[in-house]
Amino acid sequence: MANKRDVRIKKRKPVGRLGNAPETDGGEQDNGGLHVLPPRKKRRRGRSAIRLVVRLVVVAVFVAGIFLVYKNWDAIAPESLVIWMVEKLSGGQKGDGFPVAVAGSEVLDMAETQDGLALLTDTAYVVYNANGGEVLRRPHGYSSPILKTAGKYALIAEAEGTRLRLETRSSTAAELTMENKIISAAVGKNGSFAVATESSQGYTTEIIVYTSKKKELFHWYGLDLTILDVALSPDGKYLAVVGVTADAGAMRSSVLVFDMGKTEPVVRVDDTDILLCAVGFFSNGAVAAVGDTGIWVVSENGSIQQKQGYDGKELVGFAVGEKNATVVLRDYGKTEGGDLLAVNPNGDAAYSIPYEGAYRNIAPSDSGAVLLTSDHLYTTGAGGLEETKTAPRDGRMVCPLGHKEIVLGLTTLSEVK
């Protein structure tokens, strides 16, 4: 009979040189000459799924970060950082406050920009900060310049000429010479700009839209319409134009709205016995077209097509802002006094208020407009008149600058308090 006994494997401590245990690779155990593989660990499916989810979240955050940087590049671009650093290193914004002398050149226009108060003179483009310090001055050499602004961009075009420039505080972003004479121009907050010109190809006018890098985005030829003004929507996706054409011996005015992804206008509204002379966008994308006898409001899809008349009064000024469009009216034959009519983005009349004195200038503000007369400075908002101040007697132009109202006199820029 075979003998039975328990087989016991004694773990021997292998001895190496100098009595030290030899190194092993950690994957096997040497049990007295028997190589025993360690037991395999079971994979936990739950833990693998969690790792996968974490990796996907990290990738999604990374992609979202790239997208946010791309969308907000203008705000975090190196030029913005350089301007900020220069101001900090120099002890903040320069300037001793208003009034500021502007003698020596004729001011043709002024507007608020992201960098301050922009002035277009007969010789240069100038920007002042909120402290009245001059932060930019660039000669232009244009004989009849026009100024359009949006955000940090300013577009200077030579009316009845062929040259234009796109300006920022840090540099001249683009310069172009058009093939035909410039009629009107517009700029968007993203730096894209539109130019309406005459045409030499059998058309009456044409419109070209460029990016800030001078890449052509859109090109349209008007066969019978003579363009008078153009505007770009806040998001840069839509273009609006107003123009006139002959219709059986009468004048017909039109407002056209283009989706720049399409070749033909998505909205067109026409009428006779009115001269539409200017166009602008509200913040909601609706279009205001200002005429000599009325103001039209048209939505991007054509669902709103409102017309507000002036009740037989004369148009002497207008301003299209983000929240409403304001027109300055007075009775024919009079030189002083009148009414301020505001129209909201739905096309309804928001309010009408009287003003005193001779009309001087009007400019849009964030919520309404600022009106300068020979007697007063009126500030309006979404609900109507907000404040009335005494205006400088030599006031010619007005422009908001943050929470300030700056008036241009014969030789100075002054803050009205």
Side-chain angles (χ1 to χ4, degrees):
M1 177 181 288
N3 292 327
K4 295 182 178 181
R5 63 178 181 177
D6 294 333
V7 179
R8 297 181 180 178
I9 301 176
K10 294 182 180 180
K11 295 183 179 180
R12 298 178 182 177
K13 196 173 188 179
V15 179
R17 190 186 308 176
L18 299 179
N20 294 328
E23 295 181 358
T24 64
D25 60 1
E28 298 180 352
Q29 293 180 353
D30 188 357
N31 293 326
L34 296 178
H35 298 281
V36 181
L37 294 174
R40 291 184 178 181
K41 294 182 179 180
K42 294 183 179 180
R43 294 182 178 179
R44 298 183 180 180
R45 295 183 178 179
R47 183 174 297 177
S48 299
I50 292 174
R51 288 177 179 173
L52 178 61
V53 171
V54 170
R55 290 173 182 172
L56 291 175
V57 170
V58 171
V59 171
V61 170
F62 180 72
V63 172
I66 293 177
F67 177 75
L68 289 174
V69 169
Y70 170 76
K71 293 293 288 184
N72 297 281
W73 180 248
D74 284 346
I76 61 176
E79 66 175 74
S80 300
L81 296 177
V82 170
I83 292 171
W84 179 82
M85 289 179 64
V86 169
E87 290 184 348
K88 291 298 181 183
L89 292 175
S90 62
Q93 290 189 341
K94 62 180 180 179
D96 298 322
F98 294 94
V100 173
V102 291
S105 59
E106 181 185 1
V107 178
L108 305 176
D109 199 359
M110 57 192 242
E112 184 179 17
T113 71
Q114 178 179 304
D115 295 311
L117 181 67
L119 268 67
L120 179 66
T121 76
D122 55 350
T123 59
Y125 171 65
V126 188
V127 177
Y128 295 92
N129 62 26
N131 293 333
E134 184 179 307
V135 297
L136 171 64
R137 178 179 290 268
R138 294 192 189 122
H140 57 69
Y142 296 172
S143 59
S144 54
I146 56 176
L147 174 67
K148 303 289 183 176
T149 62
K152 71 173 186 178
Y153 292 97
L155 183 67
I156 304 170
E158 186 178 31
E160 297 300 317
T162 58
R163 298 174 295 171
L164 60 84
R165 287 162 43 178
L166 183 67
E167 302 281 1
T168 66
R169 178 172 172 180
S170 62
S171 65
T172 299
E175 288 188 80
L176 277 178
T177 300
M178 309 302 295
E179 293 182 1
N180 302 291
K181 291 183 178 180
I182 297 171
I183 299 172
S184 181
V187 64
K189 290 184 177 180
N190 63 350
S192 60
F193 56 96
V195 188
T197 70
E198 298 177 358
S199 182
S200 58
Q201 303 182 28
Y203 298 92
T204 54
T205 51
E206 55 187 277
I207 304 170
I208 312 173
V209 181
Y210 299 92
T211 68
S212 60
K213 305 299 182 181
K214 300 191 293 187
K215 179 182 177 181
E216 187 174 307
L217 290 174
F218 179 80
H219 204 143
W220 182 81
Y221 297 91
L223 182 60
D224 59 348
L225 190 69
T226 300
I227 302 299
L228 299 180
D229 195 25
V230 296
L232 287 170
S233 64
D235 59 10
K237 296 180 180 179
Y238 288 86
L239 169 75
V241 305
V242 291
V244 295
T245 187
D247 183 12
M251 180 184 66
R252 181 181 67 189
S253 284
S254 305
V255 53
L256 285 68
V257 182
F258 293 87
D259 178 342
M260 286 190 288
K262 302 177 181 179
T263 57
E264 294 301 320
V266 292
V267 179
R268 177 167 183 161
V269 182
D270 306 276
D271 205 350
T272 57
D273 300 326
I274 186 173
L275 176 61
L276 296 176
C277 55
V279 65
F281 276 91
F282 295 115
S283 59
N284 69 345
V287 174
V290 181
D292 60 341
T293 60
I295 181 170
W296 299 358
V297 175
V298 180
S299 60
E300 293 172 341
N301 58 8
S303 59
I304 299 175
Q305 296 184 15
Q306 286 256 48
K307 299 178 181 180
Q308 292 286 342
Y310 301 154
D311 295 329
K313 294 184 178 182
E314 179 186 12
L315 174 72
V316 292
F318 62 87
V320 179
E322 295 185 352
K323 301 296 178 62
N324 58 42
T326 308
V327 291
V328 185
L329 308 174
R330 69 184 177 197
D331 293 331
Y332 280 93
K334 291 188 176 182
T335 59
E336 295 191 359
D339 296 297
L340 204 62
L341 171 66
V343 178
N344 63 33
N346 292 325
D348 299 323
Y351 54 83
S352 178
I353 58 175
Y355 70 86
E356 297 177 347
Y359 169 76
R360 292 288 186 263
N361 190 233
I362 188 171
S365 64
D366 290 340
S367 59
V370 285
L371 169 66
L372 176 67
T373 73
S374 58
D375 297 341
H376 303 291
L377 178 68
Y378 299 91
T379 302
T380 67
L385 181 64
E386 293 184 344
E387 194 172 9
T388 303
K389 300 177 182 178
T390 301
R393 300 300 298 178
D394 64 344
R396 296 170 47 216
M397 295 183 188
V398 63
C399 184
L401 181 60
H403 299 293
K404 303 176 182 179
E405 290 88 28
I406 307 299
V407 170
L408 171 69
L410 294 177
T411 59
T412 59
L413 285 168
S414 303
E415 179 184 354
V416 179
K417 298 181 179 180

